[in-house]
Amino acid sequence: MLFHLGEMVTATQSVSDEVLELLGTEMNYTVQVVSPEEEDRELLDSFKISYGEDSGDEDDLQARPPVVTVMGHVDHGKTRLLDTIRKTTVHEGEAGGITQHIGAYQVATALEGRERLITFIDTPGHEAFTAMRARGAQATDIAVIVVAADDGVMPQTVEAINHAQAAGVPVVVAINKIDKEGANPQKIRQQLTEYGLVAEEYGGDTMFVDISAKQGTNIDGLLEAILLTADAALDLRANPDMEAQGVAIEAHLDRGRGPVATVLVQRGTLRVGDSIVAGDAYGRVRRMVDEFNEDITEATPSRPVQVIGFTSVPGAGDTFLVVEEDRTARQIAERRAARNRAAQNAQKRKRISLEDLDAALKETSQLNLIIKGDNSGTVEALEDALTKIDVGDEVELRVIHRGVGGITEGDINLAIADNIIVIGFNVRAEGKATELANREGIDVRYYSVIYQAIDEIEAALKGMLKPIY
Ligand code: GDP
């Protein structure tokens, strides 16, 4: 029948949605094409669970702290700013408390005499922001765009603005490095009007704050601007009185504690003992710790918390929800895992057949990568960034395997084929992996800075271009 419809395909190939619908009509079936999101909603419906909305009515909603992501051009001071904020403001009287990196933290600040909390996502840059959005999880309420006063608006500044605007997230501009000679904050205010960010003093409604992340200047002013922007533009409320839902920000496999995931509660209250499912991982919350490594028993909306008790590692950006019974959590996770596997297989088949054709037609050469990293957030961010490198149609980059943890012998075995580079991001080779790699001549590269990885891989791709005569 497909041949009759003009589709020259065999049983192992995929066809387009339109062809499927046509085929259905021919065979007297109604074909309904559902998106992964719809499919997931149907899955949850079958358990009488709804995700993404606060239960109850208006009266049940309570104010929650804003969740902030810091974005901007490389070297403009995002990491330094996140460190400074973390150090200068400690919440709940935990003076001198030493924070550990769990992917997000909360700080307290006073506005008009009232103490208020702000949650910061502790992964600077728009990679994490876009990776999360790509999975349908919008975790950020406000974007702080950092611009170095001595450098001005740069390509990634513009990218960050575009991402925030596309997501409909209000922006606060932090003009950083005002301690430096040649710093010109006014010029940056002018430059940014071109991108729709007009400072209040120029008649716009974007708050600009001049800061020095290095010297800790005017950090309070920035925090105040974030709260004022939240109060003016957003109605941040959630129902704390329901089973918790939210998003996993970061996750990794810990040697001693097993899978550890930092989740951001978006509605409801998460408690020790809850049955939880995040993406295709599930478990029972055995322990929760905050950014001070202190045990906590409850996490309310906008609270980031590290959860111990998953049976496998969830993906960064996966949504999570609490269900009444362990069994339900397991069933949801298993159904999602089965669906993901099926989708991956279909994708693989489609990709390979298309690429074979492509290669035969154009002789494209391909650079294959294996990416291993210290947590799922960075692995995804790196993959995202690398696959965006574009040096033309002749060469193509493909990530054939990715994962959290050190580089293993298994990874090297996978790489024993042409043109496979193994990347370790903040991780090293384990066991006999180095020995095997050396013996087999496998190119293993270690990075701890995303931009360095991008530069080198881009150079490798360019090196594969055929010379033009
Ligand atoms: P990121 O790439 O945006 O995360 O930038 P970093 O936070 O790593 O900062 C890049 C460099 O600028 C580092 O050497 C920082 O110490 C420095 N830096 C950051 N903020 C300031 C500042 O306010 N003043 C000065 N003078 N240097 C800063």
Side-chain angles (χ1 to χ4, degrees):
M1 202 166 267
L2 279 167
F3 282 173
H4 277 299
L5 291 171
E7 290 290 316
M8 301 302 153
V9 291
T10 60
T12 56
Q13 278 168 282
S14 300
V15 293
S16 68
D17 295 350
E18 291 72 32
V19 171
L20 273 181
E21 278 168 350
L22 209 57
L23 184 66
T25 316
E26 289 287 313
M27 298 175 76
N28 282 328
Y29 283 98
T30 312
V31 174
Q32 191 196 349
V33 178
V34 290
S35 67
E37 294 76 29
E38 283 168 319
E39 203 181 355
D40 203 59
R41 204 170 316 128
E42 276 172 24
L43 168 64
L44 294 178
D45 277 349
S46 71
F47 289 95
K48 301 204 165 37
I49 294 167
S50 75
Y51 175 85
E53 265 164 49
D54 293 89
S55 60
D57 48 34
E58 279 286 306
D59 296 346
D60 298 316
L61 300 179
Q62 288 181 26
R64 64 168 182 84
V67 179
V68 178
T69 297
V70 174
M71 300 196 275
H73 197 74
V74 62
D75 277 347
H76 280 197
K78 301 179 292 292
T79 311
R80 190 72 187 252
L81 175 62
L82 281 163
D83 284 348
T84 304
I85 294 171
R86 195 186 357 215
K87 273 179 211 138
T88 50
T89 46
V90 220
H91 82 118
E92 281 160 17
E94 218 126 0
I98 297 163
T99 53
Q100 49 162 5
H101 173 93
I102 64 165
Y105 62 80
Q106 251 181 358
V107 298
T109 184
L111 181 70
E112 288 152 7
R114 197 155 65 87
E115 184 169 274
R116 304 263 304 262
L117 293 170
I118 303 175
T119 304
F120 282 90
I121 304 285
D122 201 5
T123 316
H126 54 251
E127 283 85 1
F129 183 79
T130 40
M132 256 184 245
R133 273 193 78 216
R135 295 200 177 191
Q138 176 126 325
T140 301
D141 299 310
I142 290 182
V144 168
I145 310 263
V146 178
V147 190
D150 61 335
D151 201 20
V153 175
M154 298 299 278
Q156 284 156 6
T157 318
V158 178
E159 255 177 66
I161 295 168
N162 289 340
H163 286 306
Q165 287 173 344
V169 169
V171 165
V172 172
V173 180
I175 300 181
N176 191 29
K177 307 198 186 183
I178 54 160
D179 58 288
K180 279 188 114 171
E181 218 169 296
N184 189 348
Q186 287 314 321
K187 191 173 134 212
I188 287 159
R189 283 176 173 71
Q190 255 153 29
Q191 282 184 330
L192 283 175
T193 55
E194 267 178 58
Y195 302 94
L197 297 178
V198 183
E200 287 184 317
E201 53 266 48
Y202 294 151
D205 56 9
T206 303
M207 298 201 67
F208 281 65
V209 190
D210 297 349
I211 62 163
S212 164
K214 189 177 177 184
Q215 299 184 344
T217 314
N218 206 16
I219 301 301
D220 287 349
L222 176 61
L223 298 179
E224 189 180 304
I226 290 168
L227 290 175
L228 290 172
T229 301
D231 292 349
L234 305 164
D235 176 27
L236 300 178
R237 291 187 299 162
N239 180 4
D241 229 358
M242 58 181 276
E243 275 158 348
Q245 299 188 343
V247 54
I249 298 171
E250 196 173 283
H252 67 276
L253 192 62
D254 185 283
R255 264 211 193 119
R257 299 182 297 173
V260 175
T262 298
V263 303
L264 175 73
V265 177
Q266 293 181 300
R267 61 199 77 83
T269 298
L270 184 64
R271 294 186 174 86
V272 169
D274 281 346
S275 301
I276 189 170
V277 48
D280 61 9
Y282 71 98
R284 175 80 80 90
V285 181
R286 270 194 290 125
R287 245 187 98 189
M288 292 197 293
V289 293
D290 63 13
E291 58 271 45
F292 300 100
N293 208 15
E294 302 246 334
D295 275 85
I296 58 172
T297 53
E298 297 199 330
T300 50
S302 296
R303 186 90 187 87
V305 68
Q306 226 177 26
V307 170
I308 295 134
F310 280 103
T311 54
S312 62
V313 181
D318 277 343
T319 55
F320 85 82
L321 58 131
V322 164
V323 294
E324 223 160 284
E325 291 181 49
D326 291 351
R327 200 164 49 112
T328 314
R330 199 192 69 229
Q331 284 170 345
I332 294 172
E334 281 171 357
R335 296 259 294 272
R336 283 175 174 168
R339 200 184 55 206
N340 291 348
R341 274 195 301 274
Q344 258 166 19
N345 285 337
Q347 190 80 33
K348 220 184 278 166
R349 280 204 295 274
K350 195 152 104 190
R351 233 174 13 214
I352 288 168
S353 60
L354 276 180
E355 274 160 13
D356 288 348
L357 190 70
D358 231 36
L361 290 176
K362 293 196 305 194
E363 284 192 42
T364 18
S365 33
Q366 190 168 289
L367 178 67
N368 295 320
L369 294 180
I370 293 177
I371 303 179
K372 296 299 287 285
D374 54 341
N375 65 59
S376 50
T378 46
V379 170
E380 265 159 40
L382 188 59
E383 174 171 358
D384 215 46
L386 291 175
T387 47
K388 278 198 205 110
I389 297 175
D390 185 11
V391 295
D393 292 339
E394 257 176 66
V395 284
E396 198 169 33
L397 180 143
R398 201 150 71 99
V399 178
I400 59 160
H401 177 63
R402 73 205 47 78
V404 174
I407 295 166
T408 63
E409 269 180 276
D411 296 327
I412 303 297
N413 279 324
L414 249 182
I416 303 180
D418 281 336
N419 271 346
I420 298 198
I421 297 180
V422 182
I423 291 183
F425 193 80
N426 283 336
V427 295
R428 313 297 302 178
E430 290 174 353
K432 296 212 171 74
T434 304
E435 202 182 303
L436 183 63
N438 288 342
R439 197 166 62 226
E440 298 289 340
I442 300 299
D443 190 352
V444 182
R445 301 182 188 203
Y446 300 103
Y447 301 101
S448 55
V449 182
I450 287 197
Y451 296 99
Q452 204 176 346
I454 296 173
D455 282 352
E456 282 196 20
I457 297 300
E458 187 168 353
L461 283 168
K462 283 187 179 147
M464 290 166 69
L465 289 171
K466 291 191 204 78
I468 300 165
Y469 299 104

